[in-house]
Amino acid sequence: MFQVNKYFAIGLSIAITAFLAANAILLFSDKSLVPKKVYISEYERVYTSNYTEKLAKEAVTAPLGATEIFIQDSEAVDQWIINEGDYVEAGTELALLNESESEEQRAIWEAQETALRTELLEVQNAVRDLETARSRQSGSSSDSSTDRDTVTNEDGDTVELDVNVSLDVEVPQDGSYAAGIAEAEQRLAAIETELAVVEAQLAQNTATPALISPVEGIVGKIDAGSQPMSIEIYSSEKLFMTYVIEKEWLEVNAEDRVFVHVDGIPEAMPARVHSVSELPADNSKWLEAYRALDPVDQANPIAIYEVLIMTEEPITDAVPYGKTANTSIIINEATDAVALKDDWIFDRYDGTGNVFALDQDGYAVDMPISIAFGLDGKAILSDGVQAGATVVDNDLLREFGSAPMTFLPFPSIQPDMEHAKNTYWRKYVEYLLAR
């Protein structure tokens, strides 16, 4: 009897093992016809929304432009008429000139006018050469000349002016000429401003010589102790000036929308990025103020670039030059876009990736997507998943050669506490009885 039970147990074990093996083969083999389902606990039905990525920056109020007026001969000034902070119009007298010295100063201005016109022409030619070279992708463009003018005053002394024009830009054959052209265009703007100042001085009445303002604005600085003496006049139009570091420079572009918040003005002022410099910012009081407001620790100390922001409405007099402002630069926007969790995206590379989404039959399909930008741990899509689709996440899905059938847990709805507090108790009783 014992022997029979022993062989029966062995036979039963073999039968059960064979049964399980056969079922495993029928179920999991490549040629299996038995449908299989994968349980997915992480899933989300996606909808569209509007997304905005902002770059918060400190800013300072600055003039739209500044004009510098130089006086070569300090003896030519007889009396200063204006002070720093004064408002002046075009043609306003800034200082009275000494009649005995005014002729010599006038000769200097005439020589400056000639030199500036020559320099203007040469820099314009250099810009054209750079633009032509860029279109042909040649190696470099260089233009350099020297204009040395001399005038003789009524005392027989020779006054020499040396205006050196040197523009030398070396660019790799496959490089960008933008920096060279930007540098030349900045110089063009400076020459045109200097020329306007000189022409305004030469146009005045010689009977009553005076130093006059060629523009309307605010006197920013009078430097009477330097040689040559100078006066800086700020334009009445104001803007907001901020700076971006190397990694931020790629994100900010001209015409980006901006919202500016200033103490004393209740509503944010809509604005746009007027320009983003391609050259590192020069040391100035504006940059010094920004570094104090937003200290930046970076390996490359010169990789900081000026960004000018223009408001849609003129900045009022209630906002003085140098006042601090908070700006939000909108660097990315997406309207009616789908957002997915970053962790659910796999095979991500250079703005593309893949996710698993359910098709109409419930299969988890590998779907390619295009990513516009990232925001708060989510990827904002520009293409791939449509609104209403169900996106799933499970590491096992990647092990299947073809899309598997899935089943999901029954969705649960979390009660809204505010709604619960405002619901009459009788509604709860009706709900319980209805169940």
Side-chain angles (χ1 to χ4, degrees):
M1 186 68 179
F2 175 76
Q3 292 294 331
V4 173
N5 291 338
K6 177 180 178 182
Y7 289 118
F8 176 78
I10 294 173
L12 182 61
S13 300
I14 294 173
I16 293 174
T17 303
F19 176 78
L20 294 175
N23 276 274
I25 294 172
L26 291 173
L27 183 63
F28 297 109
S29 69
D30 295 338
K31 297 180 180 180
S32 173
L33 300 178
V34 179
K36 295 174 285 294
K37 294 184 179 181
V38 177
Y39 174 73
I40 303 293
S41 60
E42 294 289 332
Y43 69 96
E44 181 179 319
R45 192 169 188 181
V46 298
Y47 298 94
T48 59
S49 185
N50 299 332
Y51 298 94
T52 302
E53 185 180 9
K54 300 177 181 179
L55 177 64
K57 301 294 293 183
E58 298 284 350
V60 291
T61 311
L64 177 61
T67 301
E68 274 196 289
I69 305 169
F70 293 95
I71 307 173
Q72 302 292 336
D73 185 4
S74 59
E75 299 296 328
V77 176
D78 191 34
Q79 179 184 352
W80 291 101
I81 302 176
I82 47 82
N83 296 305
E84 293 180 358
D86 287 352
Y87 169 80
V88 295
E89 296 180 346
T92 298
E93 292 184 349
L94 306 175
L96 298 178
L97 299 181
N98 190 326
E99 291 186 23
S100 61
E101 303 288 341
S102 62
E103 286 301 320
E104 181 176 340
Q105 181 63 50
R106 186 175 182 83
I108 292 174
W109 283 331
E110 288 173 347
Q112 283 181 329
E113 181 185 30
T114 301
L116 287 169
R117 289 189 181 280
T118 301
E119 184 179 2
L120 182 67
L121 181 61
E122 290 171 346
V123 178
Q124 287 173 338
N125 290 336
V127 171
R128 283 193 292 270
D129 290 344
L130 282 170
E131 290 175 342
T132 301
R134 178 171 61 178
S135 64
R136 295 176 180 175
Q137 289 294 292
S138 60
S140 65
S141 177
S142 177
D143 197 353
S144 179
S145 68
T146 300
D147 187 358
R148 187 176 294 272
D149 287 290
T150 59
V151 295
T152 304
N153 61 24
E154 56 188 15
D155 297 330
D157 298 327
T158 299
V159 179
E160 186 177 86
L161 295 175
D162 185 6
V163 180
N164 185 44
V165 184
S166 181
L167 192 67
D168 193 351
V169 182
E170 294 293 335
V171 185
Q173 188 165 355
D174 60 347
S176 170
Y177 288 81
I181 293 173
E183 183 180 357
E185 289 178 342
Q186 282 186 354
R187 181 56 189 151
L188 276 178
I191 294 170
E192 290 170 351
T193 300
E194 293 176 39
L195 192 57
V197 173
V198 172
E199 288 174 344
Q201 300 303 148
L202 291 174
Q204 67 175 308
N205 188 348
T206 57
T208 55
L211 183 68
I212 63 172
S213 174
V215 294
E216 175 260 350
I218 306 295
V219 179
K221 183 180 180 181
I222 300 175
D223 194 352
S226 63
Q227 186 66 25
M229 294 186 295
S230 65
I231 302 176
E232 188 175 31
I233 299 178
Y234 296 155
S235 67
S236 297
E237 295 181 86
K238 299 171 185 174
L239 49 70
F240 293 101
M241 184 181 294
T242 188
Y243 296 85
V244 292
I245 58 176
E246 193 170 1
K247 64 180 181 181
E248 297 169 337
W249 186 87
L250 295 172
E251 300 176 334
V252 180
N253 297 288
E255 296 303 317
D256 281 349
R257 294 196 301 128
V258 186
F259 289 96
V260 183
H261 302 264
V262 182
D263 287 341
I265 298 180
E267 296 183 355
M269 291 184 286
R272 288 192 179 273
V273 174
H274 179 263
S275 63
V276 182
S277 176
E278 296 195 12
L279 299 176
D282 292 329
N283 289 326
S284 66
K285 57 187 174 185
W286 314 107
L287 178 56
E288 183 180 347
Y290 176 79
R291 288 190 185 278
L293 292 169
D294 187 13
V296 177
D297 183 17
Q298 58 179 0
N300 185 352
I302 70 167
I304 186 166
Y305 305 88
E306 181 183 89
V307 176
L308 303 182
I309 298 171
M310 294 285 293
T311 55
E312 294 182 2
E313 298 294 330
I315 302 172
T316 65
D317 293 337
V319 182
Y321 295 113
K323 186 173 178 62
T324 305
N326 302 113
T327 64
S328 295
I329 305 173
I330 298 175
I331 57 177
N332 279 307
E333 287 185 279
T335 304
D336 294 331
V338 168
L340 297 177
K341 296 179 182 178
D342 278 328
D343 295 342
W344 290 17
I345 300 172
F346 59 95
D347 294 342
R348 188 166 179 170
Y349 176 74
D350 196 23
T352 62
N354 293 75
V355 295
F356 287 109
L358 300 186
D359 64 9
Q360 60 183 0
D361 297 320
Y363 288 88
V365 179
D366 185 342
M367 182 175 293
I369 59 171
S370 297
I371 303 168
F373 58 93
L375 181 65
D376 299 331
K378 290 191 174 183
I380 314 303
L381 306 189
S382 58
D383 191 27
V385 178
Q386 301 300 318
T390 300
V391 178
V392 298
D393 180 55
N394 192 315
D395 293 337
L396 290 175
L397 295 175
R398 304 187 198 180
E399 300 180 8
F400 287 85
S402 59
M405 177 72 79
T406 62
F407 68 100
L408 312 176
F410 192 80
S412 61
I413 301 175
Q414 297 293 332
D416 183 88
M417 294 307 298
E418 291 299 322
H419 177 72
K421 291 176 183 177
N422 297 322
T423 302
Y424 189 51
W425 66 269
R426 194 182 298 274
K427 295 290 185 181
Y428 292 104
V429 175
E430 293 174 357
Y431 172 76
L432 293 172
L433 293 175
R435 295 183 65 187

